[in-house]
């Protein structure tokens, strides 16, 4: 097939990637830095949540209670993790100020790789072949997604009807998840909390992008403040679901779900409501659907085959920490052993230690 100069010019007009949008060159590094903070923050917060459950008892029939949330404030590891996640949010919001939503959001997947290595070193549960395949599906699917998005993403002003649509959808989603939580809370596991948090955070990221753009334009009408209120409310609800996910699953599983579901939801909103890829050809949408399905499949496979989940469900004895020895068939050696051993030299133990475990003085 011979391309004419007019056809080549049309294709060039459609591709608004890194070379035509300099802001992307700033947004991507900021998003990657946020992913690093997210991975370390997740590890610290998971450590704090599990310690509080161990010291004061868990609420497996209904998630973490108000007493647990108060006690988390006394755990240095949880507080440090919260600060790191706060820095991750700052980096992400800064990235959104420079680059399109559908470019920034998927880059959080790099946090999954870092968290997996940290958790393998700290917990003694080295990744198995199945879990590595699942992680590869998550990261690979999302990075193909962001590569395509970077070529076709465009910045557009958001109309009032689009904002109202997003707010209505967020309200419906929140009501549905809240209803499921009230109705089935005694049977909810990590996967429910991960999916709920990921979906809500996808809307939160979208609203954050909209609020940032409106502030830059000096547009401070009632709808802007409504978006800000919905953003804060959604962030609080999502954070509660995340803490419950940490209480019922390993941190890399939580990060896997968030870094896949969150950007997919945000990108779906960006494609359908905000029209950030309106000029893209049909094959782009088909590719989005395929690689998105691969990434989601990876999350479900990781939830099923994660070595820590398998170990906990079978109550297998395993020595925890950096000195742990991989047990027989339950935790087979893989090529990841050399990687986690390398991480051990840099991260032998978490640098922040909580006070020694003590019995509840009550």
């Amino acid at each position: 097939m011979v391309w004419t100069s007019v056809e080549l010019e049309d294709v060039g007009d459609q591709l608004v990637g890194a070379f035509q949008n300099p802001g992307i060159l700033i947004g991507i590094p900021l998003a990657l830095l946020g992913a690093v903070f997210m991975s370390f923050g997740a590890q610290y917060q998971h450590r704090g949540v599990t310690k509080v459950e161990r010291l004061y008892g868990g609420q497996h029939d209904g998630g973490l209670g108000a007493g647990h949330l108060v006690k988390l404030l006394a755990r240095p590891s949880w507080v440090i993790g919260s600060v790191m996640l706060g820095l991750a949010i700052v980096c992400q919001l800064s990235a959104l100020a420079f680059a399109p939503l559908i470019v920034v959001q998927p880059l959080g997947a790099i946090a999954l790789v870092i968290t997996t290595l940290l958790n393998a070193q700290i917990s003694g549960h080295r990744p198995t072949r199945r879990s590595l395949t699942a992680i590869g599906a998550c990261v690979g699917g999302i990075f193909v997604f962001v590569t395509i998005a970077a070529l076709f993403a465009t910045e557009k002003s958001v109309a009032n009807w689009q904002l109202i649509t997003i707010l209505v959808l967020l309200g419906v989603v929140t009501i549905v998840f809240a209803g499921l939580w009230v109705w089935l809370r005694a049977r909810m596991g990590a996967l429910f909390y991960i999916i709920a948090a990921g979906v809500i955070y996808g809307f939160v990221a979208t609203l954050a992008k909209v609020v940032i753009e409106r502030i830059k334009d000096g547009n401070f009408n009632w709808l802007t403040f409504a978006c800000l209120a919905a953003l804060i409310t959604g962030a609080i609800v999502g954070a509660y679901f995340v803490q419950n996910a940490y209480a019922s699953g390993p941190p890399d599983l939580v990060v896997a779900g968030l870094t896949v579901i969150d950007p997919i939801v945000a990108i779906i909103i960006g494609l359908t409501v905000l029209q950030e890829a309106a000029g893209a050809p049909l094959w782009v949408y088909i590719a989005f659907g395929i690689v998105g399905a691969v990434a989601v499949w990876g999350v479900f496979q990781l939830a099923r085959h994660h070595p820590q989940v398998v170990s906990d469900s079978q109550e297998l004895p395993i020595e925890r920490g950096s000195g742990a020895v991989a047990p027989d068939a339950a935790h087979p050696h893989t090529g990841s052993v050399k990687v986690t051993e390398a991480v051990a030299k840099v991260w032998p133990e978490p640098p922040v230690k909580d006070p020694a475990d003590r019995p509840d003085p009550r």
Side-chain angles (χ1 to χ4, degrees):
M1 179 178 180
V2 179
W3 291 80
T4 67
S5 60
V6 175
E7 289 174 327
L8 289 174
E9 184 177 352
D10 290 339
V11 172
D13 290 338
Q14 288 181 344
L15 301 179
V16 237
F19 297 104
Q20 296 185 18
N21 184 358
I24 291 181
L25 299 179
I26 301 175
I28 288 179
L30 285 171
L32 293 175
L33 180 60
V36 174
F37 280 124
M38 180 181 178
S39 59
F40 280 83
Q43 190 67 56
Y44 277 120
Q45 279 206 328
H46 177 266
R47 180 183 179 89
V49 170
T50 53
K51 278 200 171 185
V52 166
E53 278 214 316
R54 187 168 67 249
L55 291 175
Y56 303 102
Q59 288 193 348
H60 301 292
D61 58 341
L64 295 174
H68 291 81
L69 297 178
V70 171
K71 290 181 175 65
L72 285 173
L73 296 173
R75 309 306 301 186
S77 58
W78 188 86
V79 173
I80 292 294
S82 299
V83 171
M84 289 186 172
L85 290 178
L87 292 173
I89 292 173
V90 170
C91 289
Q92 186 183 50
L93 293 179
S94 301
L96 288 172
F98 290 99
L101 177 70
I102 60 178
V103 173
V104 171
Q105 282 302 96
L107 289 175
I110 195 68
L112 173 57
V113 177
I114 301 172
T115 309
T116 298
L117 296 176
L118 293 179
N119 190 59
Q121 169 60 24
I122 293 170
S123 69
H125 294 88
R126 292 192 173 98
T128 62
R129 182 169 297 157
R130 285 182 171 180
S131 67
L132 287 175
T133 300
I135 292 170
C138 293
V139 176
I142 287 299
F143 268 91
V144 172
F145 210 130
V146 76
T147 300
I148 299 173
L151 295 174
F152 292 93
T154 58
E155 297 274 26
K156 292 189 176 183
S157 59
V158 182
N160 287 343
W161 71 266
Q162 292 174 314
L163 270 186
I164 294 172
T165 301
I166 294 171
L167 291 174
V168 170
L169 289 174
L170 175 58
V172 171
V173 165
T174 304
I175 291 173
V176 168
F177 281 122
L180 289 173
W181 180 73
V182 171
W183 182 30
L184 302 172
R185 58 192 301 181
R187 288 180 282 173
M188 292 302 183
L191 204 53
F192 167 79
Y193 292 117
I194 292 169
I195 292 174
V199 172
I200 292 174
Y201 277 157
F203 280 91
V204 167
T206 304
L207 291 175
K209 176 66 173 178
V210 170
V211 170
I212 289 172
E213 293 302 319
R214 289 199 158 221
I215 291 175
K216 288 164 63 176
D217 296 337
N219 189 354
F220 296 98
N221 61 9
W222 69 270
L223 202 49
T224 302
F225 290 104
C227 287
L228 183 60
L231 187 160
I232 294 172
T233 303
I236 294 172
V237 173
Y240 176 74
F241 283 137
V242 167
Q243 301 310 310
N244 279 281
Y246 287 144
S248 50
D252 45 343
L253 173 58
V254 178
V255 171
L258 294 180
T259 55
V260 169
I261 297 172
D262 174 344
I264 285 179
V265 171
I267 288 169
I268 289 175
I269 297 171
L271 293 176
T272 59
V273 180
L274 302 182
Q275 299 292 304
E276 286 190 344
L282 178 61
W283 71 264
V284 171
Y285 293 91
I286 296 174
F288 279 154
I290 294 173
V291 296
V294 170
V296 172
W297 174 85
V299 174
F300 281 89
Q301 289 300 302
L302 187 61
R304 182 178 180 184
H305 300 297
H306 191 287
Q308 188 170 339
V309 173
V310 173
S311 174
D312 292 343
S313 65
Q314 297 177 355
E315 297 183 351
L316 297 174
I318 175 173
E319 181 186 356
R320 302 292 193 261
S322 57
V325 178
D328 49 78
H331 303 84
H333 282 279
T334 66
S336 66
V337 172
K338 293 183 179 179
V339 179
T340 53
E341 287 176 350
V343 172
K345 297 178 181 178
V346 181
W347 181 273
E349 287 292 343
V352 173
K353 291 280 191 177
D354 282 329
D357 294 350
R358 297 184 298 269
D360 189 350
R362 292 172 298 175

